[in-house]
Amino acid sequence: MANLESAMRGEELAAMRLRVLFRRYGYARFDMSKFEEYELYSRNKSFLASDSIITFTGAGGRLMALRPDVTLSIVKAAPGGGPPRRLYYSENVYRPRHAGREVSERMQVGLECIGEIGAYEMGEVLMLASRSLGEIGGRNCLCLSHMGFLTGLLRGAGIEGQPGEQLLSRVGDRSESEIRRLCGEYGLDGGFTEKFASLAGLYGPIAERIYDLRALSVNGETEAAIGEIEQVCRIARRLGAPGDINIDFSIVNDMNYYSGIIFQGFVEGIPAAVLSGGRYDKLLRRFGKFSGAIGFAVYADMLEGSRGGEDRPDADVLVLYGEGDDPLEIAAAVRDIADGGESVCAMSEEGDLKYGRLVRLSERRGAGI
Amino acid sequence: MSGPIKIALPKGRLGESVYAMFEAAGYGCPDAAEDSRKLFFESADARVRYFWAKPADTAVYVERGAADIGIAGKDILLEHSPDVYELLDLGVGRCRMAAAAKKNFEDYGTGPLRVATKYANIAREYYGGRGREIDIIKLGGSIELAPIVGLSDVIVDIVETGRTLIENGMEPIQVITDISARLIANKVSYRFRHAEITQLCERLTAV
């Protein structure tokens, strides 16, 4: 049956469903240009997933860049405060699929909520992230970490700056042996070494793992982070977030930009995160805006082939006509079938066309249709 | 539940000794020793499927999800930074990544240091962290030759016993890091097969 969905590729279908989902919760579309001044990205390079950026010289000799990221453009245009502004986008970005590889055009769909952000807004965004994974289909999971917990634990251990970043990076690798080696190098006491090692291995549904997380708490900062995780997940569930949300501190983002909950979404069969997001108040501050912000992006290009019409036939019906057949008779046959709601293609030979059923014009004529 | 756990093993001595560890941990395959030319071998009972890959490529198979877990040297992980979890230090294949030079070499720091290596990123990171300007000379093998024929001032390479260096009138001048074989996991497989992979790690640790 030919309909709107059957004409879409997997990523287009997912993007459309996500846009419908976001609009249902009051998110307005944000449109933007394909390029920005390069300076916007060069000043915030570590916020970007990759530092490979395609640049060109614009009018007036300004260095421009094909947009490698959407959030920076939205933050630049966002107001400094006030009630939360809910925006969604569906745009192509230009960055490598894998670190160190060639830049490619990638489709990204996401949302941002910027302004006075409270627990409700965080819960809503988490619910939308969870439901976005549901729209993609298949077995999926949403995993949650908290930058406040990570920075609180580092502060408790008396580690800051580059050593702290290195240690978090090893937690992100789940590399217990490297964590122990680094903690030894930094002269950390055994208790903190065990906490960092345990954190790297901590994974599972929040209801099951929250007690393990509490055992790793060391100060008010880590306590507050645990409280926020529990509260936000409760709100997300009340709003209808399907499935479990897992605690997963291998999700580590840049401490200079992210400040609260951060999360990633995974779909079985797609070998990397398809969704990534979190609270990034510190990025806003770099733009001189002192309010809150949270959002996420779905990397729709990774869904290519996972859903949609790629394996469906090119047409439901092939109308096969002969050399001497009357074009008006072919047209009448095609119209009858198309009006009946099926997709149809008329050809004088089958060629490579994939079709559901075959109608020979000569047989149709013989049957008196 | 989706099929057996796919495991990428590095071809060669290291892969064989790691497979012996898996076997001792209860993940052996009856047909493993039958035909050494076989690319795959599988145990339905242990729910594992192994395949052999070039040692430098196992991390690629894991990162892209063609394997759920695999074995890679720390040198490969440092050089290519694949987006994978590094779950265990298996304690085999131990060696060092080191800078080496001809005996009595002294770096006066008057110009860029010429560094011959297969590991350009490790060398760049190491010397960059020390503020030393370098000129990387990327070679595919026989790295020790470079200082002897005047192609480079130093080399950055894996040193096992140091005997090859000594035989060629060279010596290690700085140890950059210790190297050993690591059990790595695809980040999505880890989440969807958490119980199986965690159990496998625990059994391997107990060997």
Side-chain angles (χ1 to χ4, degrees), chain B residues 7-47:
Chain B
I7 305 173
L9 291 174
K11 279 182 199 164
R13 248 185 324 154
L14 176 65
E16 283 160 19
S17 61
V18 170
Y19 172 70
M21 292 174 75
F22 276 93
E23 200 170 33
Y27 295 95
C29 291
D31 59 343
E34 277 174 16
D35 182 354
S36 60
R37 288 166 304 176
K38 262 178 126 174
L39 290 175
F40 291 91
F41 49 106
E42 181 170 339
S43 163
D45 294 341
R47 292 183 47 76

Side-chain angles (χ1 to χ4, degrees), chain A residues 105-122:
Chain A
E105 189 175 35
R106 308 186 58 187
M107 190 177 196
Q108 191 171 306
V109 186
L111 62 80
E112 313 291 349
C113 186
I114 300 174
E116 288 162 9
I117 304 294
Y120 172 76
E121 286 77 18
M122 288 191 279

Side-chain angles (χ1 to χ4, degrees), chain A residues 98 101 139-140 143 172-175 177-178 203 248 250 266 268 270-272, chain B residues 2 63-65 74 84-89 182 186-188 190-192 194:
Chain A
H98 297 275
R101 312 226 163 81
R139 200 171 156 222
N140 61 66
C143 301
D173 292 341
R174 295 192 192 279
S175 178
S177 58
E178 291 294 317
Y203 179 77
D248 186 342
S250 75
F266 301 86
E268 195 172 37
I270 301 178
Chain B
S2 45
E63 183 183 28
R64 300 294 187 107
K74 184 68 182 171
V84 296
Y85 288 136
E86 188 186 317
L87 299 179
L88 287 180
D89 179 348
R182 308 294 164 107
N186 174 271
K187 290 188 168 181
V188 180
Y190 180 87
R191 288 170 167 101
F192 287 106
H194 183 250

Side-chain angles (χ1 to χ4, degrees), chain A residues 8-24 27-32 67-71 74 87-95 105-113 125 128-133 135-136 263 265 273-278 294-304:
Chain A
M8 290 182 174
R9 297 201 309 265
E11 78 242 46
E12 290 169 337
L13 187 59
M16 187 189 72
R17 288 179 171 157
L18 295 179
R19 290 199 300 263
V20 171
L21 172 67
F22 300 160
R23 287 188 68 84
R24 211 179 296 153
Y27 285 74
R29 181 164 179 136
F30 184 89
D31 288 307
M32 63 199 95
R67 189 182 48 228
D69 167 85
V70 174
T71 303
I74 294 181
L87 300 165
Y88 78 88
Y89 59 84
S90 177
E91 298 285 341
N92 285 334
V93 295
Y94 303 86
R95 65 166 182 244
E105 189 175 35
R106 308 186 58 187
M107 190 177 196
Q108 191 171 306
V109 186
L111 62 80
E112 313 291 349
C113 186
V125 169
L128 286 168
S130 176
R131 293 189 68 167
S132 295
L133 291 172
E135 292 292 346
I136 293 165
F263 48 89
V274 297
L275 181 152
S276 182
I294 183 168
F296 66 83
V298 175
Y299 309 118
D301 61 301
M302 293 177 73
L303 315 178
E304 203 176 333

Side-chain angles (χ1 to χ4, degrees), chain B residues 31-93:
Chain B
D31 59 343
E34 277 174 16
D35 182 354
S36 60
R37 288 166 304 176
K38 262 178 126 174
L39 290 175
F40 291 91
F41 49 106
E42 181 170 339
S43 163
D45 294 341
R47 292 183 47 76
V48 286
R49 186 179 205 216
Y50 298 91
F51 64 87
W52 297 107
K54 200 174 158 191
D57 293 341
T58 52
V60 179
Y61 285 94
V62 174
E63 183 183 28
R64 300 294 187 107
D68 298 305
I69 60 173
I71 308 303
K74 184 68 182 171
D75 53 325
I76 300 297
L77 301 179
L78 288 171
E79 180 63 16
H80 300 292
S81 306
D83 191 17
V84 296
Y85 288 136
E86 188 186 317
L87 299 179
L88 287 180
D89 179 348
L90 295 172
V92 293

Side-chain angles (χ1 to χ4, degrees), chain B residues 100-157:
Chain B
K102 283 202 285 190
K103 271 181 188 161
N104 306 321
F105 168 78
E106 288 209 33
D107 179 11
Y108 295 106
T110 50
L113 186 70
R114 296 173 304 153
V115 183
T117 186
K118 264 197 286 192
Y119 301 96
N121 292 329
I122 293 175
R124 210 172 281 126
E125 174 93 359
Y126 177 73
Y127 285 106
R130 278 150 189 78
R132 182 72 177 97
E133 190 188 351
I134 59 170
D135 174 17
I136 298 262
I137 301 161
K138 187 101 177 6
L139 295 177
S142 302
I143 315 290
E144 303 85 0
L145 190 61
I148 298 166
V149 299
L151 179 64
S152 75
D153 301 313
V154 300
I155 64 170
V156 166
D157 203 11

